[in-house]
Amino acid sequence: MSLEKKKQIAAEAAFDYIQVNDIVGVGTGSTANYFIDGLAKLKGKIDGAVASSVASSERLKQHGIEVIDANNVASLPIYVDGADEATVHKHLIKGGGGAHTREKIVAAISEKFVCIADDSKLVDVLGEFPLPIEVIPMSRSYVARQLVKIGGAPELREDFVTDNGNLILDVHNLQILNPVEMEQQLNNLAGVVTVGIFAIRPADVLILGSDSGPKIS
Ligand code: 5RP
């Protein structure tokens, strides 16, 4: 079965978590796009969506789904988004699409974070996927030097500016054995906006699309 089909299976399984009148937090990326496209069928039943990127916001609007500013909701019952890597502990690497700062904000205000992915994203240890770190442009070199000191190999994402006007360092060679500690440590570097580790606030539900259907944990 193709990875695309597995992403679709995971996205479809997430609809079981949506209730009538929910405002839904919506992620970014190809798996989240399958979810957005399916959400269009429910648009009369939900009260709107909070988007984690300009791209997702535009896709939601194209489907006629009302997009609500995150500042105008006290909390969200549910947030559905993809991941670049996930562990059985529901710790994630996100940010392959460079949207992880807004994704972390949506995750923070959500009661339930449902992560959807194809089963190739499941790993024992996070870090084979280069860790995306959003940085203020002025701090790019400083942060890169600090990352080298801890054994990382940072690479500036070429021709890319985030929705927030910042840069992304993709950090290779990290074996993230303690994701919570690493997230805290990297968050503390001056000029770091957001680290792509989601461990302090992990997913609550992980849905992996597989050959035998959705695997939910
Ligand atoms: C975007 C993300 C995405 O969720 C992540 O990159 C997975 O994308 P895809 O569903 O296309 O594999 O974190 O910033």
Side-chain angles (χ1 to χ4, degrees), residues 7 28-32 81-84 94-100 103 118 121:
K7 290 177 190 185
T28 300
S30 56
T31 318
D81 197 0
D84 300 298
K94 292 183 48 53
H100 56 288
E103 292 171 339
D118 67 79
K121 304 282 180 73

Side-chain angles (χ1 to χ4, degrees), residues 3-216:
L3 287 182
E4 291 308 305
K5 185 71 200 152
K6 289 180 179 182
K7 290 177 190 185
Q8 248 173 304
I9 287 172
E12 276 161 25
F15 290 109
D16 289 348
Y17 295 84
I18 310 292
Q19 312 275 330
V20 175
N21 295 133
D22 275 353
I23 297 175
V24 182
V26 174
T28 300
S30 56
T31 318
N33 281 346
Y34 286 120
F35 177 74
I36 294 172
D37 295 347
L39 203 58
K41 291 176 211 132
L42 290 182
K43 70 179 169 200
K45 300 203 172 110
I46 60 167
D47 282 357
V50 171
S52 62
S53 63
V54 172
S56 291
S57 177
E58 281 169 1
R59 198 174 185 103
L60 286 158
K61 285 179 191 163
Q62 276 162 12
H63 284 305
I65 298 168
E66 187 188 351
V67 177
I68 298 166
D69 189 313
N71 290 301
N72 294 337
V73 295
S75 78
L76 291 169
I78 181 148
Y79 165 47
V80 179
D81 197 0
D84 300 298
E85 284 185 346
T87 70
V88 290
H89 304 293
K90 304 184 185 74
H91 295 152
L92 314 172
I93 284 185
K94 292 183 48 53
H100 56 288
T101 294
R102 295 188 188 199
E103 292 171 339
K104 216 170 245 195
I105 295 166
V106 181
I109 59 179
S110 298
E111 285 157 35
K112 185 171 277 183
F113 174 8
V114 177
C115 180
I116 52 174
D118 67 79
D119 61 358
S120 73
K121 304 282 180 73
L122 185 66
V123 296
D124 291 329
V125 177
L126 298 176
E128 195 170 321
F129 187 91
L131 175 66
I133 302 185
E134 180 166 352
V135 295
I136 301 278
M138 180 189 172
S139 71
R140 167 175 58 93
S141 299
Y142 164 73
V143 173
R145 287 194 296 274
Q146 304 313 304
L147 291 165
V148 169
K149 283 186 195 163
I150 61 162
E155 204 175 61
L156 181 66
R157 197 175 292 185
E158 292 290 333
D159 302 320
F160 189 86
V161 176
T162 70
D163 286 349
N164 316 304
N166 295 313
L167 302 174
I168 300 276
L169 294 172
D170 290 305
V171 191
H172 300 254
N173 286 352
L174 292 178
Q175 246 213 335
I176 304 173
L177 296 171
N178 188 333
V180 171
E181 200 176 277
M182 177 77 85
E183 186 178 353
Q184 281 163 342
Q185 183 187 351
L186 298 179
N187 275 344
N188 278 339
L189 293 174
V192 165
V193 179
T194 310
V195 179
I197 302 172
F198 284 56
I200 297 170
R201 199 281 182 247
D204 300 303
V205 177
L206 178 61
I207 306 179
L208 295 172
S210 78
D211 286 330
S212 54
K215 288 193 175 152
I216 301 174

